[in-house]
Short mmCIF file of all heavy atoms in Angstrom, two decimals:
data_model
loop_
_atom_site.label_atom_id
_atom_site.label_comp_id
_atom_site.label_asym_id
_atom_site.label_seq_id
_atom_site.Cartn_x
_atom_site.Cartn_y
_atom_site.Cartn_z
N ASP A 226 17.07 -15.78 11.87
CA ASP A 226 18.30 -14.92 12.04
C ASP A 226 19.46 -15.54 11.38
O ASP A 226 20.65 -15.29 11.61
CB ASP A 226 18.53 -14.70 13.47
CG ASP A 226 19.04 -15.97 14.21
OD1 ASP A 226 18.91 -17.09 13.67
OD2 ASP A 226 19.57 -15.95 15.33
N ASP A 227 19.19 -16.38 10.35
CA ASP A 227 20.27 -17.03 9.54
C ASP A 227 20.17 -16.74 8.14
O ASP A 227 20.59 -17.57 7.29
CB ASP A 227 20.15 -18.58 9.82
CG ASP A 227 18.70 -19.12 9.33
OD1 ASP A 227 17.92 -18.24 9.08
OD2 ASP A 227 18.51 -20.31 9.36
N TYR A 228 19.65 -15.58 7.84
CA TYR A 228 19.62 -15.12 6.31
C TYR A 228 21.05 -14.60 6.05
O TYR A 228 21.71 -14.22 6.93
CB TYR A 228 18.54 -14.07 6.16
CG TYR A 228 17.14 -14.60 6.05
CD1 TYR A 228 16.19 -14.43 7.15
CD2 TYR A 228 16.71 -15.36 4.97
CE1 TYR A 228 14.93 -14.91 7.05
CE2 TYR A 228 15.36 -15.81 4.86
CZ TYR A 228 14.48 -15.59 5.94
OH TYR A 228 13.22 -16.04 5.85
N ASP A 229 21.27 -14.56 4.72
CA ASP A 229 22.61 -13.91 4.31
C ASP A 229 22.38 -12.36 4.29
O ASP A 229 22.45 -11.72 3.19
CB ASP A 229 22.89 -14.52 2.91
CG ASP A 229 24.18 -13.93 2.42
OD1 ASP A 229 24.94 -13.39 3.25
OD2 ASP A 229 24.43 -13.91 1.23
N THR A 230 22.27 -11.87 5.51
CA THR A 230 22.16 -10.36 5.72
C THR A 230 23.12 -9.96 6.74
O THR A 230 23.58 -10.88 7.48
CB THR A 230 20.67 -9.98 5.98
OG1 THR A 230 20.41 -10.58 7.31
CG2 THR A 230 19.66 -10.42 5.03
N ALA A 231 23.25 -8.65 7.00
CA ALA A 231 24.26 -8.14 7.94
C ALA A 231 24.02 -8.80 9.33
O ALA A 231 24.96 -9.32 10.00
CB ALA A 231 24.25 -6.70 7.95
N ASP A 232 22.78 -8.82 9.84
CA ASP A 232 22.67 -9.33 11.20
C ASP A 232 21.81 -10.62 11.10
O ASP A 232 21.36 -11.15 12.17
CB ASP A 232 21.91 -8.36 12.06
CG ASP A 232 20.46 -7.97 11.58
OD1 ASP A 232 19.87 -8.71 10.69
OD2 ASP A 232 19.96 -6.83 11.99
N GLY A 233 21.64 -11.17 9.88
CA GLY A 233 20.97 -12.46 9.80
C GLY A 233 19.42 -12.38 9.71
O GLY A 233 18.83 -13.45 9.43
N THR A 234 18.87 -11.26 9.96
CA THR A 234 17.40 -11.18 9.88
C THR A 234 16.91 -10.46 8.59
O THR A 234 17.73 -9.90 7.95
CB THR A 234 16.80 -10.35 11.09
OG1 THR A 234 17.30 -8.99 10.94
CG2 THR A 234 17.24 -10.94 12.39
N GLY A 235 15.67 -10.69 8.23
CA GLY A 235 15.09 -10.24 6.94
C GLY A 235 15.34 -8.78 6.80
O GLY A 235 15.09 -7.93 7.73
N VAL A 236 15.63 -8.36 5.61
CA VAL A 236 15.83 -6.89 5.19
C VAL A 236 14.61 -6.49 4.29
O VAL A 236 14.40 -7.13 3.26
CB VAL A 236 17.24 -6.74 4.58
CG1 VAL A 236 17.23 -5.35 3.95
CG2 VAL A 236 18.28 -6.88 5.65
N ARG A 237 14.12 -5.36 4.49
CA ARG A 237 13.02 -4.82 3.73
C ARG A 237 13.22 -3.31 3.52
O ARG A 237 14.01 -2.80 4.15
CB ARG A 237 11.64 -5.07 4.32
CG ARG A 237 11.33 -6.44 4.44
CD ARG A 237 11.02 -7.12 3.12
NE ARG A 237 10.53 -8.51 3.22
CZ ARG A 237 11.25 -9.54 3.35
NH1 ARG A 237 12.61 -9.43 3.39
NH2 ARG A 237 10.75 -10.78 3.41
N ASP A 238 12.39 -2.68 2.72
CA ASP A 238 12.43 -1.28 2.43
C ASP A 238 11.11 -0.73 2.98
O ASP A 238 10.04 -0.79 2.39
CB ASP A 238 12.50 -1.03 0.93
CG ASP A 238 12.59 0.42 0.58
OD1 ASP A 238 12.18 1.32 1.32
OD2 ASP A 238 13.21 0.64 -0.50
N TYR A 239 11.20 -0.21 4.29
CA TYR A 239 10.00 0.30 4.86
C TYR A 239 9.72 1.81 4.52
O TYR A 239 10.50 2.73 4.86
CB TYR A 239 10.12 0.17 6.40
CG TYR A 239 10.30 -1.25 6.84
CD1 TYR A 239 11.54 -1.86 7.10
CD2 TYR A 239 9.13 -2.05 6.93
CE1 TYR A 239 11.63 -3.25 7.49
CE2 TYR A 239 9.22 -3.39 7.27
CZ TYR A 239 10.50 -3.93 7.51
OH TYR A 239 10.63 -5.34 7.90
N ILE A 240 8.58 2.00 3.82
CA ILE A 240 8.30 3.33 3.36
C ILE A 240 7.13 3.94 4.16
O ILE A 240 6.14 3.28 4.33
CB ILE A 240 7.96 3.36 1.85
CG1 ILE A 240 7.56 4.79 1.41
CG2 ILE A 240 6.99 2.27 1.53
CD1 ILE A 240 7.42 4.82 -0.15
N HIS A 241 7.41 5.13 4.64
CA HIS A 241 6.32 5.87 5.45
C HIS A 241 5.05 6.00 4.61
O HIS A 241 5.15 6.46 3.40
CB HIS A 241 6.87 7.18 5.97
CG HIS A 241 6.07 7.83 7.09
ND1 HIS A 241 4.79 8.19 6.94
CD2 HIS A 241 6.33 8.06 8.41
CE1 HIS A 241 4.30 8.68 8.04
NE2 HIS A 241 5.25 8.57 8.97
N VAL A 242 3.91 5.79 5.12
CA VAL A 242 2.68 5.90 4.41
C VAL A 242 2.38 7.24 3.86
O VAL A 242 1.74 7.43 2.74
CB VAL A 242 1.49 5.33 5.23
CG1 VAL A 242 1.18 6.25 6.47
CG2 VAL A 242 0.20 5.03 4.39
N MET A 243 2.85 8.27 4.56
CA MET A 243 2.70 9.62 4.03
C MET A 243 3.50 9.91 2.77
O MET A 243 3.04 10.46 1.80
CB MET A 243 3.11 10.69 5.10
CG MET A 243 2.20 10.66 6.36
SD MET A 243 0.54 10.92 6.01
CE MET A 243 0.57 12.67 5.45
N ASP A 244 4.76 9.26 2.72
CA ASP A 244 5.57 9.37 1.47
C ASP A 244 4.92 8.58 0.40
O ASP A 244 4.77 9.00 -0.74
CB ASP A 244 7.00 8.80 1.78
CG ASP A 244 7.85 9.82 2.51
OD1 ASP A 244 7.67 11.00 2.43
OD2 ASP A 244 8.72 9.31 3.34
N LEU A 245 4.35 7.37 0.74
CA LEU A 245 3.71 6.50 -0.21
C LEU A 245 2.44 7.21 -0.84
O LEU A 245 2.25 7.22 -1.96
CB LEU A 245 3.31 5.26 0.44
CG LEU A 245 2.65 4.11 -0.51
CD1 LEU A 245 3.70 3.57 -1.45
CD2 LEU A 245 2.18 3.00 0.33
N ALA A 246 1.76 7.91 0.08
CA ALA A 246 0.49 8.58 -0.39
C ALA A 246 0.86 9.68 -1.34
O ALA A 246 0.26 9.83 -2.48
CB ALA A 246 -0.25 9.23 0.86
N ARG A 247 1.88 10.42 -1.05
CA ARG A 247 2.32 11.53 -2.02
C ARG A 247 2.77 11.02 -3.31
O ARG A 247 2.60 11.62 -4.33
CB ARG A 247 3.40 12.40 -1.28
CG ARG A 247 3.35 13.79 -1.95
CD ARG A 247 4.31 14.73 -1.24
NE ARG A 247 5.61 14.32 -1.35
CZ ARG A 247 6.33 13.68 -0.51
NH1 ARG A 247 5.83 13.38 0.65
NH2 ARG A 247 7.60 13.18 -0.82
#
Side-chain angles (χ1 to χ4, degrees):
D226 66 347
D227 57 351
Y228 285 106
D229 182 17
T230 62
D232 63 16
T234 64
V236 165
R237 294 291 186 276
D238 185 330
Y239 296 98
I240 177 170
H241 196 294
V242 65
M243 293 302 291
D244 285 328
L245 185 66
R247 204 176 64 258

